[in-house]
Amino acid sequence: MESTLVLFVNGIKVTEPRPDPRGNLLQYLRRRLRLTGSKEGCGEGRCGACTVMLSRYDRREKTIRHMAVNACLLPLCSLHNMAVTTVEGVGDTRRGLHKIQECLAEAHGVQCGFCTSGMVMSMYTLLRNIPRPSQEDIQLAIEGNLCRCTGYRSIIDGFTKAAQARCCQGDEVTCACRSNDTEDYQKAPDDKHTFCSREPTQDVIFPPQLMLGEDNEQSLTFEHEGTTWIRPPNLHALLQCLAENPTARLIAGGTTIFLDLKLKHKLPQTLVSTSHIPELTRLTVEDDHLVVGAGITLEELRTRLPGLVSHLPGWRTRSVKVLGDALRWVAAGQVRNVASVGGNLLNPATVSDLQPVFLAMDAMLHIDNANSGERTIPYRDAVMTSPPQQCLAPGDVLVYTSFPFTRQDDHMMFFKQPERQGFDTAVVNTVPKITFKPGRNIIEELHFTFGGKCFQPIVKTQNCMQHVVGKIWSLSLVPTVLASLENLLDKSAITDDARHVAMAQAFKFMFAVEETLTGQTVRNAPSALSTVDYESTRVFDNVGPVQLPEDDMRRPIPHSSALQITCGEAVYLDDMPRCEDELFAGLVLSTKPHARVVNVETTEALALPGVTGYVDHQDVPGKNLWGCFVEEEEVFAETKVNCCGQIIGLVLAIDRQVALEAARCVKVQYEDLPAVLTIEDAIREKAFYTEEPATPAIVFGDVEAGFAASDVVIEGHVDIDPREHFYMESQGVLVKPRAEHNEVDVYCTSQNPSGTQGNVARVLGIPLNRVVCHVKRIGGGFGGKISRVDLLSQPVAVAAYKYRRPVRCVLDRRTDMAITGKAPRFHTEYKIGYTKDGRIQSVVMDMYVDGGHHADVTYNVLQQCVLSFEAAYRYPNCRITGYLCKTNTPPNTAFRGFGAPDSFLVSEMIMTELASRLNMTETQVREMNMLREGDVTVSDMLLDNCTLSRCWRQCLEESQYEVRKTKVQEFNRHNEWKKRGIAVVPYRFGIGYKERFMCKAGALVHVYVDGSVLLTHGGTEMGQGLYIKMIQVASHVLGVPASNIHTAETSTDTVPNTVPTAASVSSDQNGKAVKAACEEIVRRLESIKNNNPDKTWTDWVMEAYMTNVNLSAVGHYGSSELNGFDFNTLKGKLYDYTTCGAGCSEVEVDCLTGECQILQTDMVIDVGRSLNPGIDIGQIEGAFQQGCGHMLLERAVVSEDGWVLQGGPAEYKIPTVRNIPRKLNVSLLKDSANPHGIFSSRGIGEPPMCTAMSVYFALKAAILDCRVSNGCSGHFDMHVPATAERIREACRACIFKLTDSKH
């Protein structure tokens, strides 16, 4: 008998007669209930954008449990008799906001906003469970939530303020988070920007019906289209169910079934849930061991363990502490809240931190079977099979595990080495255990258990340490133990790096044992990285007392949609309601990097129910070629594919999942061709683009004479790996054909609406005036949505045009990462000549950029790299040559900074190397060669109003660089295994387009009779705060509050012929257009105002209306200089102006494991006179943190078969909240003006990325100290990013010392 699913969503009862066992909660919320506040950022539980609060009544503890969970991983059928709270249920702009939402908006913790709903729900759940959380609690709560825009500082500050506002003082049933106390909760430092708080009585209560438990004694069965979900009520029923369905799959938390469905595209026909079986949730202390039910969640186990064993002496619970340490670092809270112990131990898809722990603790698995009965097997027998669950026979159920408590002479520890701090899978886990004879320091047993990605299956050493058994403990045994371990690991199929990590963790354990036994700190013992409390400061100018209250210019006002974003009301592309007759597109992608297309077979795909049709190059009514500068890329591949992931065709269906399934059913036959996959291959084979834009070169001065005048000439190279944009909202498009004149509306995630309009018109063969492109907001862009969105918009437009129906296509995260292009791989070889006092005389650089199989905008990226080589320094003689490499990978594209940060890094590398070789300080070398006011650059730009030296000096002073450098040196003298480094780096960044025809913008201003203003311009809002800045410009010119002004969207039918929102110029260009339009309105109202000086703005507007004055105005800005920069003459306008800054960072690195912690960063940034200091500081912090990701973590790897980032978000690691500096100080340069910018401001979106170079060079300084102290050469190469693995490689001498007898 089929059951009906009953759950409560935001306090409202929802019944679903036939729920789909293959459906997850996120799909149900978004597509069935139309609650779109929860976002699909990755669909794999790795970003937290879909976080919701799940509440259930625990009948055993008689309490309500609130859990933050990933809705994308939560099976819908598992939610019977549970309550779900989404961001819409927390607060909204109509009924009132929650303190969390208020404080987050006030703290500028909202930029693109795509991650915000998940952040709010993680914090909301925390406050429901812990009314007064610590800062560590907050960071732990949002550890599984990724943010690409803010840098996390503003989010932490907003949540910390919310936690201090007497939140969650109610009982278990009613949360009184929303107090009436609004003191200090204001949008800006004036009274008119206050928030509306909700009353406590408006909070959603836990439904009393769910506390009755009427259905918990009954079995539930849900069936849908051949798949059955069964939830037995007890163990006996579960065993019987498995006996009747031997091929069924057991589901506990269900955190992996949707990954299986997504990646393997299949599920068993029968799924059996264990979520409500009380026998599987035991957690007890019995005699000398701990019993852990297989169904208990990881988070419940983590939180209950300390109290459970608190009555036992500490030595008995050392194994429990190890388990607790491991649980702390397993996944993120959203996963731990639903993942079960049994699933974690036996699931073949899980690289578990718990597996080596349970193996080291000699755990026993207690199994039951309806036919064969109960039995117990050691966990070591289970892990010997691969995968571990193969140790279970059909019908077996793991009921609980047990493991003994430690003896008084047992000592254990847990070590985890991930690729990044926070939510990440271990590279290597080590659980060492040593046992001494009772009451004596004589070794009885010593073994190491290894797990993680590099040890699959996990390994437990058994007899390799026999030669130390019976010996008296001493640190003199360390070399012997490590040598034995090294011999053992040499026989394993692991990498050298994994062996390095394993030995380092074993080394740390030996010293920890010594300190435990002696109770004293051992000199030069390895220790954990320093932990300091997080703190931050921001310094900027407040508005003056003479500024009128209604003038919102220069006030730190949050984003114009900040409140809507925090409560899930803001609409992103895929939040738009489904249209009537809408179709979904599934992409047919190439699976070969270079091949001829022999045949495409669509018969099987078209036969699937719900499939409407297929579209390819034969259906293109216009041109099938497109490109940014040269039309050479095919919209649909015709006879040949040039990379994996190239679009061959689209399958159209009435449902998204059907479209994706049908696309997989299209069979493509290929004939392989030779492929070039890496930049090294391209350089070796001279596979370069040969068009003129692809071969930029600068020759300045007399290079050979400069080398002749040099005392020293050195050569070197710099390598930077490709990087993924990882905007939180993936690429998407919805195309709606109109009924007549071949008109179409395109809704897309484009930074360049006019570009999308042009490409769609071209592929359809229609005029531009028939295509309207709409962009409401974008969930992050970073340059990745300037051109590559049209990879998607054009094929979808062809489909919509052919079938005369709306067509939508939104890429899942893995597909987006695989096909849309990256920041290109960068390689530079340089030769530098300099004098003995450190002055640069001459430089030659050959720069190589990987363009992919078509150039896209990488022509310009390469040109920018060549033009930016000077960075902040003088080069009297130079020859810089660029080469654009052609590889069989997706076309690479623009990225924040457009290549300039890569080029800057080369110059900074040169300065650092010169200082090292000359035995000078880095500050001396940098200051000696630094550009100054009045200098003329290689590109013939006079540096007037150049604040580079001011930023540099202020950064040195505010960071106390010299004092801290001395302290760093002192720290390093006293620490052998961890080192610190400090570095300060300046930057000079050009703002503006060298193509002068792109230096323009338009604006349209409507003033309505009630005094409200509708503002439209050509820039898109993607989190950078452009909309609110333009509103502030209009507020200043019109003299009305920002609250009177609204921007609805950006569209090509209101402001045509726009340029991309990019290059940090959008505030300047659009601001000048807005200013012009508003000044025209003011001019028209001038006589009315003069005649009625005592009236209000609304009165003047009404008078203008009554006297037929036009209250609508168009503004336009266009550069007066039309001659762009000429590479041949090195003349012409290259930039409108430059902006400067400096950053100082101090890091600490564990030389054994490669772990790195940024202790402090100080930045001084020149933004001129900021239009909005809150927005600007947010951009600075976000750019810096993104830059840190590039410097330390992020690399897009091309597989041997040609796929880029085939592992998706599991493979590509961006910073988490754990990766930010523990102390962050940002100062906006005071008393700075910019005559070239709008109202004296300067562009800010891209330049602060360059300050992250200070982190890289601080890290290099720390590694250098390590190498020198270990007798290695001073100079060493380190590719960017400086990952933990590369740090370990650079510090490899440390591990070689471990077998030295002196230790």
Side-chain angles (χ1 to χ4, degrees):
M1 179 179 176
E2 290 189 42
S3 309
T4 297
L5 178 70
V6 177
L7 72 155
F8 284 77
V9 179
N10 297 331
I12 299 173
K13 185 176 182 179
V14 177
T15 58
E16 191 64 37
R18 298 194 64 198
D20 186 355
R22 297 167 301 177
N24 60 47
L25 174 60
L26 182 62
Q27 295 168 348
Y28 189 75
L29 291 173
R30 292 181 57 83
R31 300 172 192 173
R32 183 62 183 271
L33 302 184
R34 293 298 308 153
L35 295 172
T36 58
S38 304
K39 310 300 182 188
E40 182 171 345
C42 69
E44 300 182 15
R46 297 185 182 276
C47 72
C50 64
T51 303
V52 298
M53 186 177 80
L54 181 66
S55 303
R56 61 179 293 184
Y57 185 67
D58 187 332
R59 284 169 179 78
R60 177 176 294 179
E61 301 292 328
K62 299 189 183 306
T63 186
I64 300 169
R65 295 194 179 277
H66 303 294
M67 301 165 286
V69 297
N70 289 312
C72 70
L73 296 184
L74 202 60
L76 176 63
C77 291
S78 69
L79 301 178
H80 185 70
N81 272 0
M82 296 190 193
V84 174
T85 304
T86 71
V87 70
E88 291 91 342
V90 174
D92 58 53
T93 57
R94 294 175 296 279
R95 296 175 297 153
L97 297 173
H98 191 284
K99 286 289 185 185
I100 295 171
Q101 295 163 321
E102 295 177 7
C103 294
L104 187 61
E106 180 196 48
H108 294 272
V110 177
Q111 289 192 24
C112 89
F114 205 78
C115 72
T116 301
S117 296
M119 290 281 185
V120 168
M121 292 314 301
S122 290
M123 184 63 187
Y124 178 73
T125 308
L126 173 65
L127 291 185
R128 292 297 295 260
N129 291 317
I130 306 177
R132 289 287 186 177
S134 65
Q135 191 181 87
E136 174 60 26
D137 291 330
I138 294 172
Q139 295 191 42
L140 181 62
I142 63 173
E143 199 171 80
N145 295 80
L146 297 180
C147 176
R148 192 55 154 165
C149 299
T150 65
Y152 298 102
R153 189 278 309 167
S154 54
I155 296 173
I156 295 173
D157 287 357
F159 285 167
T160 300
K161 193 169 187 179
Q164 296 168 350
R166 299 188 179 93
C167 290
C168 285
Q169 300 302 300
D171 56 25
E172 288 290 338
V173 177
T174 303
C175 169
C177 290
R178 305 167 183 85
S179 71
N180 290 320
D181 180 11
T182 59
E183 183 180 358
D184 293 331
Y185 285 85
Q186 297 180 345
K187 189 174 181 181
D190 56 294
D191 294 333
K192 64 179 182 294
H193 289 300
T194 57
F195 296 104
C196 174
S197 295
R198 292 184 66 178
E199 296 285 345
T201 55
Q202 292 177 287
D203 194 32
V204 176
I205 67 170
F206 185 79
Q209 175 183 334
L210 300 185
M211 303 172 70
L212 300 178
E214 297 174 352
D215 294 335
N216 287 288
E217 304 299 325
Q218 302 174 4
S219 179
L220 298 177
T221 302
F222 305 119
E223 294 185 8
H224 186 88
E225 296 182 356
T227 304
T228 303
W229 177 284
I230 303 172
R231 194 188 82 180
N234 52 54
L235 179 59
H236 175 75
L238 172 62
L239 295 174
Q240 291 300 317
C241 179
L242 291 180
E244 296 168 3
N245 301 276
T247 61
R249 175 168 173 176
L250 285 180
I251 301 295
T255 54
T256 60
I257 66 169
F258 291 109
L259 288 177
D260 288 348
L261 184 61
K262 181 177 182 178
L263 303 179
K264 301 177 183 177
H265 315 301
K266 61 181 180 180
L267 278 180
Q269 290 186 332
T270 304
L271 304 172
V272 180
S273 172
T274 64
S275 62
H276 282 64
I277 297 176
E279 294 92 335
L280 301 186
T281 57
R282 294 173 59 190
L283 183 58
T284 58
V285 172
E286 298 183 6
D287 298 327
D288 61 346
H289 61 275
L290 180 70
V291 174
V292 180
I296 196 168
T297 68
L298 303 183
E299 184 65 10
E300 185 178 355
L301 178 61
R302 185 186 76 85
T303 55
R304 290 180 59 189
L305 268 180
L308 190 69
V309 298
S310 59
H311 63 287
L312 298 175
W315 56 265
R316 288 198 70 193
T317 60
R318 286 170 184 156
S319 59
V320 177
K321 182 182 183 303
V322 167
L323 178 59
D325 291 343
L327 287 165
R328 163 62 187 84
W329 297 108
V330 174
Q334 292 95 321
V335 176
R336 292 195 301 268
N337 278 322
V338 292
S340 68
V341 171
N344 204 259
L345 292 180
L346 298 179
N347 194 320
T350 302
V351 178
S352 169
D353 294 333
L354 295 189
Q355 291 174 354
V357 173
F358 275 67
L359 180 58
M361 295 191 300
D362 298 319
M364 303 295 291
L365 306 182
H366 299 263
I367 297 165
D368 205 348
N369 187 296
N371 297 319
S372 58
E374 299 180 10
R375 74 181 192 279
T376 301
I377 63 173
Y379 185 55
R380 65 174 177 270
D381 292 348
V383 299
M384 290 178 66
T385 63
S386 184
Q389 89 275 15
Q390 287 190 1
C391 70
L392 301 181
D396 276 354
V397 173
L398 173 61
V399 180
Y400 64 91
T401 63
S402 64
F403 57 84
F405 293 121
T406 45
R407 302 184 319 185
Q408 190 163 3
D409 298 290
D410 290 340
H411 299 273
M412 298 179 68
M413 290 189 73
F414 171 79
F415 295 93
K416 177 174 180 176
Q417 180 58 50
E419 294 178 9
R420 71 175 173 201
Q421 296 177 19
F423 179 22
D424 199 9
T425 305
V427 175
V428 175
N429 281 328
T430 302
V431 185
K433 180 181 179 183
I434 190 169
T435 300
F436 297 101
K437 291 185 177 181
R440 305 168 64 188
N441 285 354
I442 296 177
I443 300 173
E444 185 175 280
E445 182 183 8
L446 173 62
H447 63 73
F448 298 88
T449 306
F450 299 106
K453 290 191 294 186
C454 293
F455 284 91
Q456 291 297 308
I458 57 178
V459 174
K460 182 176 182 179
T461 64
Q462 294 293 340
N463 301 315
C464 69
M465 300 298 170
Q466 289 301 310
H467 52 280
V468 299
V469 173
K471 293 187 176 181
I472 298 175
W473 168 262
S474 167
L475 283 180
S476 63
L477 294 175
V478 170
T480 304
V481 170
L482 293 181
S484 299
L485 184 60
E486 186 175 25
N487 291 334
L488 172 71
L489 296 177
D490 282 340
K491 302 173 184 177
S492 303
I494 61 171
T495 63
D496 289 342
D497 181 66
R499 186 180 300 109
H500 178 147
V501 175
M503 292 183 64
Q505 292 175 342
F507 180 72
K508 289 186 173 186
F509 171 70
M510 303 290 281
F511 276 85
V513 170
E514 174 70 12
E515 293 183 345
T516 300
L517 294 176
T518 63
Q520 298 178 352
T521 301
V522 179
R523 179 178 172 272
N524 277 338
S527 58
L529 294 178
S530 303
T531 56
V532 294
D533 291 338
Y534 168 80
E535 59 179 291
S536 65
T537 61
R538 279 83 63 200
V539 179
F540 58 89
D541 290 329
N542 290 316
V543 297
V546 298
Q547 183 165 318
L548 297 175
E550 61 268 22
D551 181 1
D552 280 320
M553 174 72 77
R554 310 197 196 287
R555 300 187 193 274
I557 303 173
H559 278 264
S560 54
S561 298
L563 302 183
Q564 289 75 13
I565 288 172
T566 62
C567 52
E569 295 172 4
V571 177
Y572 296 82
L573 181 91
D574 206 29
D575 299 338
M576 296 176 64
R578 183 172 176 176
C579 308
E580 185 179 359
D581 293 328
E582 183 175 312
L583 298 175
F584 295 87
L587 305 184
V588 179
L589 302 174
S590 163
T591 58
K592 298 287 186 178
H594 195 204
R596 292 187 181 90
V597 178
V598 177
N599 184 53
V600 179
E601 180 54 58
T602 63
T603 304
E604 181 183 351
L606 294 176
L608 291 178
V611 174
T612 302
Y614 176 77
V615 176
D616 65 9
H617 66 92
Q618 301 174 76
D619 300 294
V620 174
K623 295 181 65 174
N624 193 43
L625 290 177
W626 72 291
C628 294
F629 298 98
V630 180
E631 293 181 9
E632 59 179 3
E633 185 174 355
E634 292 178 338
V635 176
F636 294 101
E638 297 185 13
T639 60
K640 187 175 72 171
V641 293
N642 295 293
C643 72
C644 290
Q646 188 172 353
I647 296 177
I648 297 172
L650 299 184
V651 179
L652 287 306
I654 60 174
D655 177 82
R656 189 188 308 251
Q657 296 305 318
V658 173
L660 295 176
E661 181 182 354
R664 291 191 294 268
C665 291
V666 174
K667 301 297 188 291
V668 182
Q669 184 180 350
Y670 302 96
E671 181 183 314
D672 287 337
L673 296 171
V676 176
L677 298 179
T678 67
I679 196 172
E680 290 83 2
D681 293 340
I683 294 172
R684 183 177 60 254
E685 298 182 20
K686 292 184 168 47
F688 303 135
Y689 289 86
T690 57
E691 298 86 350
E692 183 177 347
T695 56
I698 286 180
V699 179
F700 183 81
D702 190 331
V703 173
E704 298 307 322
F707 281 123
S710 300
D711 297 318
V712 183
V713 176
I714 60 173
E715 297 182 4
H717 63 90
V718 175
D719 288 277
I720 303 176
D721 287 337
R723 290 132 291 163
E724 161 66 17
H725 300 85
F726 213 109
Y727 29 70
M728 296 303 295
E729 180 190 24
S730 61
Q731 302 271 19
V733 63
L734 169 63
V735 179
K736 297 182 182 180
R738 296 186 186 180
E740 56 181 308
H741 297 302
N742 290 329
E743 297 172 321
V744 294
D745 285 288
V746 181
Y747 300 85
C748 61
T749 56
S750 177
Q751 294 177 236
N752 185 14
S754 291
T756 297
Q757 177 195 29
N759 284 323
V760 169
R762 182 184 301 107
V763 77
L764 296 183
I766 59 178
L768 288 169
N769 63 3
R770 309 297 170 87
V771 181
V772 180
C773 184
H774 307 262
V775 180
K776 178 76 172 178
R777 60 174 56 83
I778 308 172
F782 314 114
K785 295 175 179 176
I786 294 175
S787 58
R788 299 317 296 168
V789 66
D790 296 334
L791 173 81
L792 199 60
S793 66
Q794 295 175 97
V796 173
V798 171
Y801 194 81
K802 176 180 178 179
Y803 288 96
R804 296 297 187 217
R805 295 171 66 175
V807 178
R808 184 189 307 241
C809 185
V810 178
L811 299 183
D812 67 84
R813 177 62 59 183
R814 285 190 181 232
T815 303
D816 188 294
M817 295 175 78
I819 75 172
T820 57
K822 307 283 171 282
R825 170 74 190 277
F826 177 83
H827 171 78
T828 291
E829 298 172 359
Y830 63 82
K831 177 182 177 182
I832 188 86
Y834 57 95
T835 61
K836 291 180 180 180
D837 63 354
R839 297 182 189 276
I840 294 173
Q841 297 299 305
S842 196
V843 63
V844 172
M845 294 184 192
D846 289 331
M847 295 183 172
Y848 300 87
V849 166
D850 183 0
H853 77 83
H854 288 299
D856 194 71
V857 297
T858 52
Y859 289 123
N860 289 66
V861 172
L862 178 61
Q863 291 175 5
Q864 183 71 5
C865 289
V866 170
L867 291 168
S868 301
F869 82 97
E870 288 173 290
Y873 307 105
R874 290 188 297 270
Y875 290 93
N877 306 287
C878 61
R879 181 173 68 246
I880 316 298
T881 308
Y883 300 89
L884 189 60
C885 300
K886 192 169 190 175
T887 60
N888 293 111
T889 58
N892 288 313
T893 191
F895 200 102
R896 196 176 199 168
F898 214 70
D902 298 348
S903 193
F904 290 176
L905 188 71
V906 179
S907 277
E908 298 301 337
M909 199 80 79
I910 289 171
M911 297 301 154
T912 301
E913 187 170 351
L914 261 60
S916 175
R917 291 177 181 271
L918 293 170
N919 200 26
M920 298 172 64
T921 67
E922 293 179 12
T923 53
Q924 286 176 323
V925 173
R926 285 186 166 91
E927 288 174 354
M928 185 176 298
N929 292 284
M930 192 175 293
L931 288 164
R932 289 175 172 78
E933 178 79 11
D935 284 347
V936 178
T937 68
V938 169
S939 57
D940 196 39
M941 184 174 186
L942 174 65
L943 296 183
D944 61 334
N945 194 30
C946 178
T947 58
L948 181 61
S949 296
R950 286 185 57 201
C951 291
W952 171 258
R953 290 194 301 270
Q954 186 173 327
C955 187
L956 288 172
E957 179 181 342
E958 292 185 356
S959 66
Q960 297 182 305
Y961 171 78
E962 294 296 340
V963 173
R964 287 169 55 206
K965 184 178 178 182
T966 301
K967 291 181 179 179
V968 164
Q969 293 168 345
E970 183 69 15
F971 177 91
N972 290 345
R973 278 194 292 271
H974 292 88
N975 288 272
E976 185 171 2
W977 308 109
K978 61 182 182 180
K979 299 292 184 180
R980 289 182 180 177
I982 187 170
V984 58
V985 172
Y987 72 78
R988 179 188 63 90
F989 197 101
I991 302 295
Y993 290 113
K994 70 177 187 300
E995 300 84 1
R996 303 312 294 173
F997 73 89
M998 296 185 70
C999 299
K1000 63 177 141 216
L1004 177 63
V1005 176
H1006 298 314
V1007 180
Y1008 295 94
V1009 293
D1010 64 349
S1012 63
V1013 180
L1014 181 63
L1015 170 63
T1016 309
H1017 49 80
T1020 59
E1021 177 58 63
M1022 50 191 166
Q1024 83 281 39
L1026 179 63
Y1027 276 13
I1028 188 60
K1029 282 188 172 183
M1030 297 303 95
I1031 287 172
Q1032 288 175 281
V1033 169
S1035 167
H1036 177 70
V1037 178
L1038 296 176
V1040 300
S1043 56
N1044 279 28
I1045 306 170
H1046 176 63
T1047 299
E1049 68 170 7
T1050 301
S1051 62
T1052 55
D1053 60 345
T1054 54
V1055 179
N1057 308 319
T1058 58
V1059 298
T1061 303
S1064 303
V1065 299
S1066 296
S1067 291
D1068 284 334
Q1069 295 186 170
N1070 289 285
K1072 291 174 182 178
V1074 169
K1075 177 174 177 284
C1078 292
E1079 286 175 342
E1080 177 60 23
I1081 296 289
V1082 170
R1083 186 189 65 77
R1084 295 173 190 172
L1085 295 176
E1086 185 174 6
S1087 61
I1088 296 175
K1089 292 174 65 176
N1090 291 338
N1091 294 331
N1092 303 276
D1094 297 330
K1095 296 292 183 69
T1096 65
W1097 164 260
T1098 305
D1099 296 329
W1100 297 328
V1101 169
M1102 179 58 72
E1103 178 66 20
Y1105 173 76
M1106 297 303 295
T1107 55
N1108 297 333
V1109 173
N1110 185 2
L1111 291 173
S1112 179
V1114 173
H1116 182 264
Y1117 161 74
S1119 173
S1120 58
E1121 300 182 54
L1122 299 179
N1123 294 322
F1125 181 78
D1126 187 322
F1127 268 99
N1128 295 319
T1129 64
L1130 300 185
K1131 301 291 183 181
K1133 187 78 169 180
L1134 179 58
Y1135 304 122
D1136 291 330
Y1137 58 89
T1138 59
T1139 183
C1140 302
C1144 175
S1145 292
E1146 180 180 352
V1147 306
E1148 184 174 300
V1149 62
D1150 186 324
C1151 302
L1152 295 173
T1153 65
E1155 292 176 277
C1156 175
Q1157 172 69 60
I1158 307 173
L1159 298 178
Q1160 180 173 333
T1161 294
D1162 299 83
M1163 290 182 278
V1164 176
I1165 308 296
D1166 182 12
V1167 299
R1169 297 195 63 203
S1170 174
L1171 301 179
N1172 184 322
I1175 295 292
D1176 285 347
I1177 289 175
Q1179 286 290 288
I1180 291 166
E1181 293 171 345
F1184 167 78
Q1185 196 60 41
Q1186 192 173 56
C1188 288
H1190 294 177
M1191 292 293 109
L1192 303 178
L1193 291 171
E1194 303 178 37
R1195 55 194 303 252
V1197 178
V1198 181
S1199 65
E1200 292 182 358
D1201 55 1
W1203 284 100
V1204 181
L1205 285 175
Q1206 196 168 15
E1211 176 185 326
Y1212 192 83
K1213 310 299 171 68
I1214 71 170
T1216 72
V1217 70
R1218 295 291 180 185
N1219 300 115
I1220 65 175
R1222 303 314 299 165
K1223 186 174 183 180
L1224 180 63
N1225 304 313
V1226 179
S1227 293
L1228 302 186
L1229 188 69
K1230 292 181 177 295
D1231 303 321
S1232 175
N1234 175 28
H1236 307 288
I1238 179 68
F1239 291 125
S1240 289
S1241 65
R1242 293 181 189 263
I1244 196 57
E1246 298 168 299
M1249 276 196 74
C1250 305
T1251 57
M1253 292 187 296
S1254 64
V1255 173
Y1256 175 81
F1257 287 106
L1259 176 60
K1260 284 203 72 173
I1263 296 172
L1264 179 63
D1265 193 289
C1266 169
R1267 290 173 61 86
V1268 170
S1269 65
N1270 284 281
C1272 296
S1273 64
H1275 177 72
F1276 64 99
D1277 291 324
M1278 177 170 284
H1279 288 198
V1280 176
T1283 61
E1285 181 178 354
R1286 286 171 173 167
I1287 294 172
R1288 291 191 292 269
E1289 177 64 31
C1291 296
R1292 187 59 56 90
C1294 278
I1295 205 70
F1296 294 153
K1297 287 181 61 177
L1298 300 187
T1299 55
D1300 193 318
S1301 60
K1302 75 176 183 178
H1303 293 287

